[in-house]
Amino acid sequence: MIVSTLGPAVRRRALRWTAVATALTFAVSGCAGAGGATSTNGASSDNQLTLSVPAVPNTLYPLMEPVAAQFAHLPMLSSLLQYEPQERGESVLPGVDQVVPGLAESYELVPEGLVLKLRDATSAAGNPLTAEDVAYTFERAVAVEDSIGKFLMTTGGLDPAEPVTIIDEGTVRLNGAVTPLVLFAITYYYPGILDSTAVKEHATEDDPWAAEWLRTNSANFGPYTVESFQPGERIVYTANENYWEGEPPYDSVVVLSAGAQSPVQLLKSGSADFAARVPGNVYDEMKDVAGFDTYVSPSLSQQVVVLNKKAIPALANADVRRAMSMAVDRQLLADTVYSGTAEPSESVLSSSVPGVDGAPGKYFSYDLEEAKRLMASTPFADGFDLTLTVSAGSAPGVDANSVAIALQSVWKELGVRVQIENVGSASRFSEVQTTSSFDALLTSEAPAAADIAYAMSLLHTKGGPFNYGFDDEPVVNDLVAQAVAQPLGEERTRLGVEAVAAWNETMGSIPLVDTGIAYVAADGTCGLATYPYLAPLAYRLSPC
């Protein structure tokens, strides 16, 4: 299959000139918004975008903090293929194969792998994109043992021993027994294709892959390039005038760590034009404030209580799990604790995954009386003791203790005596999770790709690498195994939907809410939309 070439450059240039004129109108009239933020040297900047993000990473490469870097790294990256933002209000993310051209203007699946035809593109350093850049990027990921690069190559079925074959200066083949997720793997926001000419200039005998230089510098084909970097605090980007989609809409982009300062303070003071992944309380405070636009973009993430079926005999009983699920008023949780940044879960996977919204589970409905009846019908009618383990980061964007206390209260109605265990250290919480050293665990589950078969195989089948609660339903295992073996298409989706429906009958864990990603933008900043895979690319934002 070949992807057609797009030609957005003319559209981008026209947008920029119209947007800048509008931004100047806002500045003259004294309105806050894009262009109103303070520049890096303290002067007012008429064409600067300032982003507030949850955290700025301590290194640019290797990427050791993927959550922080989802937003902090985006301005500089450009991938081989990409996903376009969807319209506001879209609740289902695109399938993994719904890609559009990026640095590759077309692709073709062949028996040996994936052939990509590269477009004419130029890095911020002025070097043209070549097949050597693609080969270097993948070979470097293998050589430096880049964990995320390795994960993406494994997900796509690429051969780490020989990941890339150069066919000619503008054509490459990614080698391997590629999986149905190979297209997704090369759209991912990280690592982007490196300008090998620029990187090699900083290589030494002791550092042949210029690892030290890339810790604080960029060499990419994206819309912006790193001008300065203060680890953990800020990144300043300047526009890549050579960018293949057209001149970027801003002259500079400043990425700030919210740190001790609330995103509300940064936005209201004019120190930030845009805030990404804001906590629920910030979204709730800003949604009705004049001069700001707010939006919650759907994501693949769910807030879940994982139940360890091997730790507590009661949790191995399906009716106990069903009763615990039906006792939870998910709509109330979404509206109160999550401040409207989440939707009640209706299935084992987020409804943002294509196909999942057609398989809602009946045990997700709130019915306390039916929950009591179910519990009374089990050998555990007199109740049981349960430790619910949480940490500060186990409910991103909200107070995890508030969630835990709400659950403690409702499950008391069933005779479940919940003790809340707070784990202070993030590393210790991760250890508890990965070793299944818990009774029940409040955590987030977010498969990397919007594909039912992939997500279920990781999280909810026997032997799945993230199946920490020991889900092991034979029907689910069989259906997922069949689905994974299918190429992308109707049969793979049908089998996946059947697996979801089967899991929803037994409730291996308790999904609570489908969590969204909340954004706040000053009125002068346009481009808020549904961003597939958490990626509001900086060049999609523009002055209004």
Side-chain angles (χ1 to χ4, degrees), residues 154-429:
T154 300
T155 298
L158 301 181
D159 179 8
E162 189 181 358
V164 180
T165 294
I166 296 176
I167 296 175
D168 59 43
E169 187 173 301
T171 311
V172 297
R173 184 180 69 234
L174 305 186
N175 301 314
V178 297
T179 73
L181 299 184
V182 66
L183 299 179
F184 159 78
I186 61 173
T187 65
Y188 212 61
Y189 62 87
Y190 176 83
I193 300 302
L194 293 169
D195 175 355
S196 61
T197 301
V199 177
K200 288 177 180 178
E201 290 176 356
H202 301 276
T204 66
E205 184 175 346
D206 293 333
D207 187 9
W209 297 98
E212 189 61 31
W213 183 77
L214 276 174
R215 287 172 63 86
T216 57
N217 294 275
S218 63
N220 298 85
F221 295 86
Y224 298 93
T225 187
V226 173
E227 179 180 87
S228 65
F229 173 48
Q230 294 174 257
E233 296 183 21
R234 82 165 50 201
I235 308 174
V236 178
Y237 295 96
T238 55
N240 173 11
E241 297 179 356
N242 305 314
Y243 185 52
W244 64 269
E245 283 201 81
E247 195 173 359
Y250 294 98
D251 293 334
S252 63
V253 174
V254 179
V255 179
L256 297 175
S257 172
Q261 199 170 7
S262 164
V264 172
Q265 295 173 310
L266 292 171
L267 289 162
K268 286 186 174 180
S269 68
S271 298
D273 306 300
F274 179 88
R277 194 186 276 274
V278 300
N281 64 323
V282 172
Y283 170 79
D284 190 51
E285 180 176 347
M286 296 297 296
K287 65 183 180 182
D288 296 321
V289 176
F292 294 93
D293 185 18
T294 58
Y295 181 60
V296 179
S297 179
S299 77
L300 300 178
S301 181
Q302 282 186 312
Q303 194 75 68
V304 178
V305 177
V306 179
L307 302 177
N308 188 342
K309 273 76 72 182
K310 293 185 177 182
I312 302 289
L315 299 182
N317 185 292
D319 278 337
V320 168
R321 302 192 301 266
R322 291 166 178 151
M324 292 175 69
S325 177
M326 295 185 77
V328 178
D329 188 339
R330 291 172 169 83
Q331 186 65 63
L332 183 62
L333 268 181
D335 292 342
T336 56
V337 177
Y338 291 87
S339 304
T341 61
E343 294 291 333
S345 292
E346 296 181 342
S347 189
V348 59
L349 300 176
S350 168
S351 296
S352 298
V353 179
V356 170
D357 57 349
K362 63 182 179 181
Y363 298 109
F364 288 80
S365 299
Y366 174 59
D367 189 336
L368 183 57
E369 293 308 310
E370 177 62 14
K372 290 178 179 179
R373 187 198 68 77
L374 270 176
M375 184 66 79
S377 71
T378 73
F380 307 96
D382 293 333
F384 58 92
D385 296 323
L386 179 73
T387 299
L388 175 60
T389 302
V390 303
S391 79
S394 64
V398 301
D399 178 20
N401 276 315
S402 296
V403 180
I405 291 169
L407 296 174
Q408 182 185 50
S409 176
V410 299
W411 287 339
K412 183 179 180 180
E413 297 285 333
L414 305 179
V416 181
R417 298 174 292 274
V418 176
Q419 178 181 347
I420 299 171
E421 176 189 35
N422 276 282
V423 178
S425 163
S427 60
R428 173 57 184 157
F429 184 81

Side-chain angles (χ1 to χ4, degrees), residues 441-466:
L441 187 82
L442 178 65
T443 188
S444 292
E445 291 183 345
D451 177 71
I452 293 176
Y454 171 75
M456 292 294 289
S457 69
L458 293 180
L459 295 164
H460 299 295
T461 59
K462 184 177 182 180
F466 308 119

Side-chain angles (χ1 to χ4, degrees), residues 64-137:
M64 301 303 292
E65 302 145 295
V67 173
Q70 284 165 355
F71 302 102
H73 280 68
L74 287 169
M76 70 181 181
L77 302 182
S78 191
S79 54
L80 290 165
L81 301 173
Q82 59 188 8
Y83 294 97
E84 287 277 75
Q86 298 167 283
E87 294 295 322
R88 290 179 67 147
E90 289 283 347
S91 59
V92 179
L93 298 180
V96 292
D97 59 341
Q98 295 177 23
V99 296
V100 297
L103 291 177
E105 62 184 7
S106 66
Y107 72 87
E108 181 179 9
L109 289 166
V110 297
E112 300 83 7
L114 181 70
V115 174
L116 296 145
K117 180 68 175 177
L118 305 180
R119 69 169 66 251
D120 290 334
T122 304
S123 73
N127 298 313
L129 173 68
T130 67
E132 176 61 31
D133 295 316
V134 178
Y136 179 86
T137 299

Side-chain angles (χ1 to χ4, degrees), residues 425-491:
S425 163
S427 60
R428 173 57 184 157
F429 184 81
S430 177
E431 180 184 357
V432 168
Q433 178 169 336
T434 55
T435 59
S436 299
S437 303
F438 59 84
D439 298 345
L441 187 82
L442 178 65
T443 188
S444 292
E445 291 183 345
D451 177 71
I452 293 176
Y454 171 75
M456 292 294 289
S457 69
L458 293 180
L459 295 164
H460 299 295
T461 59
K462 184 177 182 180
F466 308 119
N467 179 15
Y468 302 126
F470 302 105
D471 289 4
D472 186 12
E473 290 295 330
V475 173
V476 175
N477 294 339
D478 181 61
L479 286 167
V480 172
Q482 292 183 58
V484 167
Q486 295 290 323
L488 296 176
E490 292 183 2
E491 182 64 8

